[in-house]
C-alpha cells in the first residue's frame, strides 16, 4: 500500500500509541488527540479524495480496521449500547497485566495466552449510539461517477486479496470483471447486495487465536449462507436499491443527528468474523429458553446485529451532516460562507449564459415547450426555506398536464431530470403500486426497528409521480392511505410515520413533480399544460441524442446551477413590497374575480424563484413583471384547454 494510505491501514498501532501516551501522562486527553490527528491528516494532499469509500469500493477490497468513509442517510436509530472503553488483560502464564482501550472496536483484542479480566477495577464502561445507515436513497448515477475516478484509484491502491475471514461466500472475479464493475456502477452496486444472513452480536467479549477464529468463521458463515430460512431485509426505503447498509457507532455529539439526515462519515471499518460466531452462539443459547420469552429478543438480535460480512460496522471518528451531496460543489454552502467562497462567486458571475443553455436544453426535453421549461427550472430550484406554523414556505409542486397517456414520455423526461439532480425517484402511479407499495415507514416493535417506506427520503430529493399510467380500478385501504400520504407530503411537506399507537410527524423537503394527462388527482401548487411543438417518432432515440449533444462540462454547470441556487438568500425591499401591494390592489380593482390572495402568494413564489434563477437575491420590478407575464401565459393556456375539453381542467 502506498505511504499515503499507510496511516489509514495501521489504525490499531496508531490508537495504541496515543492511548499509551495518555496512560503515561503525556496525552491525558487522548480521545481528543485521535480526532485532531485525523482532522489534520484529512487536510493533507486532498486526503478525503483518496480515503476509500464504501459507496464506491466493494467491501471485500477493503482491509479490516482500515480508515474509510461512507456517504449515507440515517434510516433508523437504535438504543445506545455499552462497551468496555478500557479493559485489562492477564497473561495466563506470567500473570502480566496489560491495559487496552476498547473505543473504535467491536471485539476485545488479546493474545493467545491472554484473557480479559472482567472484574478488574481498571475496567471502564462507556456508552455509544448506533445508527442504521443506508446509501442515500435515489442517488443519481452521475454522483457515483463523479466519485468513481477517485474510487477506482482507491480500489487499486488499497486493494487486497478477498479475505475468507469476512467474505467466505463471494467468488473471486477476474481483473477484467473488476474493471467492468468500476465502469458500470449498477453492476458494482449489485455486488454489495450479497447474500442475506441473520445473527446477533456479542460485543467486546471474545479472545482467542486469530487463525482458529478465521477457520471457525469461514465454516460457520458458509453453513449459515446455505441454510437461511428467510432473507435479511436491508431496509432500503426505495424498491430495487442496492448498496452497503452499515451499523454506524457514534461516540460523541450523537444528539446532533436525527433520522433522515444525510451524513459523510470517516471512521474505522469493522468486519470481524468473530461477530458472526458470537451471533450464532447467542442465538443457539436463546433457543434453549422458553420460546415465548425469547422470541422478541431473538428477532431484535437478528435485526440489530446482522453479520458483519453483510452489514459492516463503522466506528465514527469524524462525522459531517451534509447540506447536499453534489460533488461538484463545496460541501458547506451556508449563507455567509457562500458569499466569500471564490468558487461560488466565480460561478455566479457566469450564471446568465448557464440559465439560457439550461432553458434551451429543457425546452428540447419538453418537446419544444419553452413555457413549461421555464416552470421546470423554477420547480427544480425550489426549496422549503421556512415554516410558518404548519405552512411550508417555498414548496413549489408542479403538475405538468397534457402528457401523452401510456407513453414513454414521462420515463424519458425523468431520465433528463436524473442527469440534473443529485437524488430522485420516479413513482409509477398504477393501481397495483398504490395498493401494494409501502409508502409510510412504521415501527416494528418485535424487532424494535423502524421499517422503511417509500416516502422516507432525505431533503432535496426530486420525486416524479407518473400519473399517466393510472388506469381504472379500485383502490383498497392501503391504496387510499398511500394517496393520502402523498397529498400530505405535497401540501404540508411532512410524512406521518406509523408508530402503531400514534402517528409521529416527520417534516421533509421533497420536490414533487407530477405528470398527468388531465389535471392531477393530487394537489399541486402550479399546473402547466404541455404544448408540444414536435412529436418525436422514437422518444428513446430523441432523449439519447439530446443527452449526447450536451458536453459533460455543460451538464456539470447545469448540476451546479440547480444545487447552488437552492442555498441563496432572498429578500424583498420595502420599496418593492409597496409596489407589489399597489399592483395587487390595482389588479383587484380591474377584475375582482381574476386574482385572489392565493394567486398573489403564487405570484410571489414564482417571482422569488424567477429572481433566484437569474442569480438575483432580491426582487426587482423587472422580475415582478416577468413573473406576472409567465403566470398570465400559463393561465391563458389552461383556459384555452378548458374550452377545448369542456370541464376537464
Amino acid at each position: 500500500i502506498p505511504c499515503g494510505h499507510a496511516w489509514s491501514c495501521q489504525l490499531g498501532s496508531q490508537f495504541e500509541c496515543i492511548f499509551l501516551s495518555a496512560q503515561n501522562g503525556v496525552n491525558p486527553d487522548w480521545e481528543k488527540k485521535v480526532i485532531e490527528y485525523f482532522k489534520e491528516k484529512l487536510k493533507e494532499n486532498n486526503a478525503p479524495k483518496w480515503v476509500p469509500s464504501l459507496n464506491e469500493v466493494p467491501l471485500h477490497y477493503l482491509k479490516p480496521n482500515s480508515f474509510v468513509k461512507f456517504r449515507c442517510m440515517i434510516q433508523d436509530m437504535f438504543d445506545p449500547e455499552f462497551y468496555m472503553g478500557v479493559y485489562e488483560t492477564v497473561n495466563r502464564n506470567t500473570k502480566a497485566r496489560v491495559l487496552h482501550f476498547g473505543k473504535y472496536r467491536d471485539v476485545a483484542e488479546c493474545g493467545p495466552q491472554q484473557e480479559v479480566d472482567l472484574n478488574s477495577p481498571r475496567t471502564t464502561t462507556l456508552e455509544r449510539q448506533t445508527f442504521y445507515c443506508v446509501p442515500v436513497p435515489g442517488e443519481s448515477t452521475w454522483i457515483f461517477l463523479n466519485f468513481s475516478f477517485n474510487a477506482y484509484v482507491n480500489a487499486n491502491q488499497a486493494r487486497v486479496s478477498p479475505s475468507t475471514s469476512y467474505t467466505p461466500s463471494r467468488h473471486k472475479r477476474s481483473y477484467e470483471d473488476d474493471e467492468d464493475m468500476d465502469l458500470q456502477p449498477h453492476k458494482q452496486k449489485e455486488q454489495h447486495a450479497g447474500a442475506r444472513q441473520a445473527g446477533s452480536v456479542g460485543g467486546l467479549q471474545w479472545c482467542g487465536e486469530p487463525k482458529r477464529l478465521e477457520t471457525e468463521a469461514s465454516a460457520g458463515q458458509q453453513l449459515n449462507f446455505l441454510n437461511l430460512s428467510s432473507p435479511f431485509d436491508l431496509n432500503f426505503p426505495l424498491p430495487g436499491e442496492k448498496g452497503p447498509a452499515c451499523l454506524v457507532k457514534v461516540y460523541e455529539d450523537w444528539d446532533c443527528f436525527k433520522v433522515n439526515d444525510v451524513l459523510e462519515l470517516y471512521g474505522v471499518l469493522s468486519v470481524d468474523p468473530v461477530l458472526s460466531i458470537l451471533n450464532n452462539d447467542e442465538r443457539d443459547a436463546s433457543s434453549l429458553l422458553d420460546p415465548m420469552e425469547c422470541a422478541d429478543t431473538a428477532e431484535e438480535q437478528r435485526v440489530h446485529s446482522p453479520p458483519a460480512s453483510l452489514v459492516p460496522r463503522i466506528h465514527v471518528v469524524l462525522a459531517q451532516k451534509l447540506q447536499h451531496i453534489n460533488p461538484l460543489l463545496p460541501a458547506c454552502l451556508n449563507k455567509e460562507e457562500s458569499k466569500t467562497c471564490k468558487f461560488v462567486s466565480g460561478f455566479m458571475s457566469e450564471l446568465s449564459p448557464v440559465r439560457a443553455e439550461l432553458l434551451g436544453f429543457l425546452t428540447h426535453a419538453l418537446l419544444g415547450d419553452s413555457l413549461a421549461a421555464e416552470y421546470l427550472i423554477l420547480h427544480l430550484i425550489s426549496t422549503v426555506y421556512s415554516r410558518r406554523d404548519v405552512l411550508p414556505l417555498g414548496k413549489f409542486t408542479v403538475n405538468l398536464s397534457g402528457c401523452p397517456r401510456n407513453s414513454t414520455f414521462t420515463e424519458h423526461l425523468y431520465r433528463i431530470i436524473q442527469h440534473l439532480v443529485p437524488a430522485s425517484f420516479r413513482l409509477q402511479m398504477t393501481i397495483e403500486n398504490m395498493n401494494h407499495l409501502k409508502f409510510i415507514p412504521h415501527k416494528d416493535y418485535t424487532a424494535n426497528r423502524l421499517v422503511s417506506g417509500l416516502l422516507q427520503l432525505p431533503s432535496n430529493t426530486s420525486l416524479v409521480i407518473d400519473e399517466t399510467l393510472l388506469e381504472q380500478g379500485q383502490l383498497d385501504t392501503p391504496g387510499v392511505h398511500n394517496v393520502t400520504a402523498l397529498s400530505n407530503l405535497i401540501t404540508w411537506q411532512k410524512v406521518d410515520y406509523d408508530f402503531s399507537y400514534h402517528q409521529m410527524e416527520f417534516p421533509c423537503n421533497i420536490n414533487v413533480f407530477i405528470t398527468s394527462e388531465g389535471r392531477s388527482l393530487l394537489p399541486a401548487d402550479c399546473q402547466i399544460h404541455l404544448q408540444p411543438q414536435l412529436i418525436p417518432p422514437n422518444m428513446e432515440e430523441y432523449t439519447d441524442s439530446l443527452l449526447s449533444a450536451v458536453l459533460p462540462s455543460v451538464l456539470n454547470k447545469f448540476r451546479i446551477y440547480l444545487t447552488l441556487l437552492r442555498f441563496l438568500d432572498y429578500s424583498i425591499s420595502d420599496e418593492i413590497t409597496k409596489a407589489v401591494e399597489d399592483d395587487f390592489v390595482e389588479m383587484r380593482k380591474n377584475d375582482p374575480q381574476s386574482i385572489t390572495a392565493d394567486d398573489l402568494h403564487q405570484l410571489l413564489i414564482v417571482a422569488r424563484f424567477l429572481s433566484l434563477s437569474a442569480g438575483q437575491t432580491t426582487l426587482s420590478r423587472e422580475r415582478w413583471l416577468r413573473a406576472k407575464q409567465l403566470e398570465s401565459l400559463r393561465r391563458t393556456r389552461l383556459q384555452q384547454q378548458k374550452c377545448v375539453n369542456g370541464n376537464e381542467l
Side-chain angles (χ1 to χ4, degrees):
I1 296 175
C3 59
H5 290 272
W7 64 272
S8 70
C9 296
Q10 299 171 357
L11 297 180
S13 59
Q14 293 161 1
F15 288 154
E16 286 286 1
C17 288
I18 298 174
F19 176 70
L20 289 174
S21 297
Q23 298 306 308
N24 295 329
V26 179
N27 288 321
D29 296 330
W30 76 275
E31 291 166 304
K32 291 182 180 178
K33 294 292 182 184
V34 167
I35 296 174
E36 290 172 8
Y37 171 80
F38 281 100
K39 280 184 177 178
E40 290 303 313
K41 282 292 181 182
L42 288 173
K43 292 177 183 177
E44 296 176 6
N45 301 321
N46 214 8
K49 290 194 174 181
W50 52 255
V51 173
S53 169
L54 281 178
N55 300 95
E56 284 85 39
V57 183
L59 181 61
H60 54 282
Y61 284 165
L62 299 173
K63 277 194 171 184
N65 301 317
S66 60
F67 193 63
V68 298
K69 64 181 177 182
F70 185 40
R71 188 175 60 258
C72 58
M73 183 190 81
I74 300 175
Q75 190 277 320
D76 196 5
M77 292 179 165
F78 295 160
D79 295 331
E81 65 181 26
F82 294 102
Y83 71 99
M84 289 190 290
V86 178
Y87 61 96
E88 195 171 34
T89 58
V90 182
N91 189 299
R92 285 191 289 268
N93 297 330
T94 65
K95 304 303 180 185
R97 291 178 170 268
V98 179
L99 207 59
H100 303 266
F101 77 99
K103 195 173 184 179
Y104 308 121
R105 291 175 176 172
D106 285 303
V107 180
E109 291 188 355
C110 49
Q113 303 301 321
Q114 291 179 315
E115 60 183 20
V116 176
D117 182 2
L118 297 175
N119 296 316
S120 169
R122 303 174 76 182
T123 298
T124 303
T125 302
L126 300 174
E127 188 181 46
R128 62 191 176 197
Q129 178 63 279
T130 302
F131 299 155
Y132 186 85
C133 294
V134 297
V136 180
E139 186 176 271
S140 297
T141 304
W142 65 267
I143 298 283
F144 181 89
L145 292 176
N146 270 277
F147 284 116
S148 66
F149 174 76
N150 296 313
Y152 180 79
V153 175
N154 295 343
N156 283 284
Q157 291 180 337
R159 184 172 293 183
V160 296
S161 298
S163 168
T164 54
S165 66
Y166 63 100
T167 54
S169 68
R170 288 188 172 98
H171 298 289
K172 295 182 182 178
R173 290 186 301 277
S174 68
Y175 179 72
E176 289 76 17
D177 291 337
D178 294 338
E179 279 196 317
D180 187 52
M181 277 180 54
D182 285 315
L183 295 173
Q184 300 187 48
H186 292 297
K187 288 189 179 181
Q188 179 171 322
K189 287 189 177 184
E190 286 169 7
Q191 295 295 331
H192 285 275
R196 307 297 202 250
Q197 177 185 357
S200 58
V201 69
L204 290 166
Q205 298 175 2
W206 187 270
C207 292
E209 298 181 23
K211 287 290 183 185
R212 183 169 62 83
L213 294 182
E214 188 172 310
T215 304
E216 290 180 6
S218 299
Q221 285 186 322
Q222 285 170 346
L223 182 66
N224 283 331
F225 273 72
L226 293 172
N227 295 283
L228 287 178
S229 57
S230 62
F232 185 84
D233 178 14
L234 291 178
N235 215 10
F236 294 132
L238 298 177
E241 291 256 299
K242 308 291 182 185
C246 290
L247 285 179
V248 173
K249 313 281 185 175
V250 184
Y251 291 86
E252 55 266 317
D253 298 329
W254 58 71
D255 291 340
C256 300
F257 305 113
K258 61 183 185 299
V259 169
N260 301 338
D261 278 350
V262 174
L263 310 178
E264 184 171 58
L265 309 169
Y266 290 86
V268 183
L269 175 67
S270 174
V271 285
D272 202 308
V274 173
L275 298 173
S276 297
I277 297 174
L278 293 169
N279 291 347
N280 297 334
D281 289 347
E282 290 190 7
R283 196 167 59 178
D284 291 343
S286 68
S287 66
L288 301 175
L289 304 174
D290 184 336
M292 294 304 293
E293 291 181 2
C294 71
D296 290 355
T297 304
E299 177 64 13
E300 186 171 339
Q301 286 178 350
R302 188 185 81 86
V303 168
H304 285 234
S305 303
S309 57
L310 179 61
V311 182
R313 280 66 166 160
I314 296 180
H315 294 266
V316 174
V317 178
L318 300 170
Q320 178 185 10
K321 190 185 298 185
L322 295 180
Q323 294 178 304
H324 65 88
I325 58 170
N326 189 334
L328 304 171
L329 277 164
C332 187
L333 287 175
N334 286 329
K335 301 290 190 296
E336 293 305 316
E337 292 185 22
S338 64
K339 291 177 183 177
T340 58
C341 177
K342 290 183 179 179
F343 177 87
V344 172
S345 58
F347 186 83
M348 292 297 290
S349 66
E350 58 177 50
L351 202 69
S352 182
V354 174
R355 187 193 194 283
E357 283 188 276
L358 178 59
L359 180 62
F361 177 68
L362 292 179
T363 298
H364 285 297
L366 291 163
L367 309 180
D369 190 341
S370 59
L371 182 63
E374 285 275 10
Y375 276 91
L376 182 53
I377 289 178
L378 304 187
H379 164 76
L380 291 174
I381 66 171
S382 66
T383 186
V384 176
Y385 61 87
S386 180
R387 291 180 185 267
R388 185 172 298 161
D389 296 326
V390 296
L391 185 66
L393 303 179
K395 73 182 183 71
F396 192 58
T397 299
V398 171
N399 170 210
L400 182 68
S401 58
C403 300
R405 186 173 181 78
N406 291 323
S407 76
T408 59
F409 170 75
T410 301
E411 177 186 345
H412 293 295
L413 178 59
Y414 174 63
R415 277 182 60 200
I416 299 292
I417 293 174
Q418 273 187 306
H419 277 78
L420 299 175
V421 300
S424 60
F425 179 69
R426 174 181 168 231
L427 171 60
Q428 300 178 54
M429 196 172 175
T430 63
I431 293 293
E432 183 179 3
N433 281 345
M434 299 307 292
N435 285 338
H436 294 102
L437 288 179
K438 294 179 179 177
F439 281 36
I440 302 295
H442 70 275
K443 180 74 173 182
D444 179 351
Y445 287 96
T446 301
N448 190 23
R449 71 163 176 172
L450 181 66
V451 179
S452 191
L454 190 144
L455 296 183
Q456 187 177 6
L457 299 171
S459 288
N460 303 320
T461 302
S462 287
L463 178 61
V464 177
I465 301 176
D466 187 354
E467 206 176 289
T468 65
L469 302 175
L470 194 60
E471 301 283 356
Q472 288 187 345
Q474 184 67 40
L475 284 177
D476 56 22
T477 302
V480 172
H481 288 163
N482 284 338
V483 172
T484 302
L486 282 177
S487 297
N488 287 337
L489 168 66
I490 293 168
T491 305
W492 308 112
Q493 284 293 311
K494 70 182 181 81
V495 180
D496 295 322
Y497 290 16
D498 182 8
F499 282 75
S500 294
Y501 309 107
H502 66 284
Q503 305 290 314
M504 186 173 291
E505 183 178 300
F506 281 73
C508 58
N509 186 4
I510 309 298
N511 272 19
V512 182
F513 184 76
I514 309 165
T515 61
S516 59
E517 185 183 24
R519 183 171 185 168
S520 173
L521 302 175
L522 297 168
D525 300 305
C526 172
Q527 181 191 354
I528 174 77
H529 196 81
L530 182 68
Q531 284 189 351
Q533 303 302 303
L534 59 117
I535 305 295
N538 187 310
M539 274 301 302
E540 184 171 2
E541 290 180 3
Y542 179 79
T543 305
D544 288 342
S545 62
L546 179 59
L547 288 170
S548 62
V550 184
L551 292 173
S553 59
V554 174
L555 207 52
N556 280 342
K557 287 182 179 180
F558 294 165
R559 293 160 177 167
I560 294 170
Y561 174 92
L562 293 175
T563 301
L564 177 60
L565 296 188
R566 287 169 168 264
F567 295 95
L568 294 184
D569 209 350
Y570 177 83
S571 61
I572 304 178
S573 66
D574 293 340
E575 180 185 353
I576 294 296
T577 300
K578 180 69 168 58
V580 167
E581 290 174 352
D582 293 342
D583 207 359
F584 176 64
V585 170
E586 193 64 29
M587 286 187 288
R588 290 282 291 169
K589 278 182 183 177
N590 295 335
D591 186 359
Q593 303 301 319
S594 66
I595 188 165
T596 64
D598 289 339
D599 296 325
L600 175 62
H601 175 73
Q602 167 93 344
L603 262 174
L604 288 169
I605 288 291
V606 170
R608 177 190 183 92
F609 294 121
L610 191 61
S611 300
L612 291 174
S613 74
Q616 298 178 2
T617 56
T618 186
L619 181 60
S620 65
R621 180 71 180 169
E622 178 190 1
R623 293 295 160 188
W624 171 249
L625 294 175
R626 176 59 176 160
K628 286 175 60 178
Q629 182 187 22
L630 287 179
E631 279 292 273
S632 176
L633 290 171
R634 184 184 68 84
R635 288 169 176 274
T636 301
R637 185 181 289 190
L638 286 177
Q639 287 299 322
Q640 290 172 347
Q641 192 64 30
K642 187 174 181 180
C643 293
V644 172
N645 295 334
N647 60 0
E648 181 187 355
L649 299 176

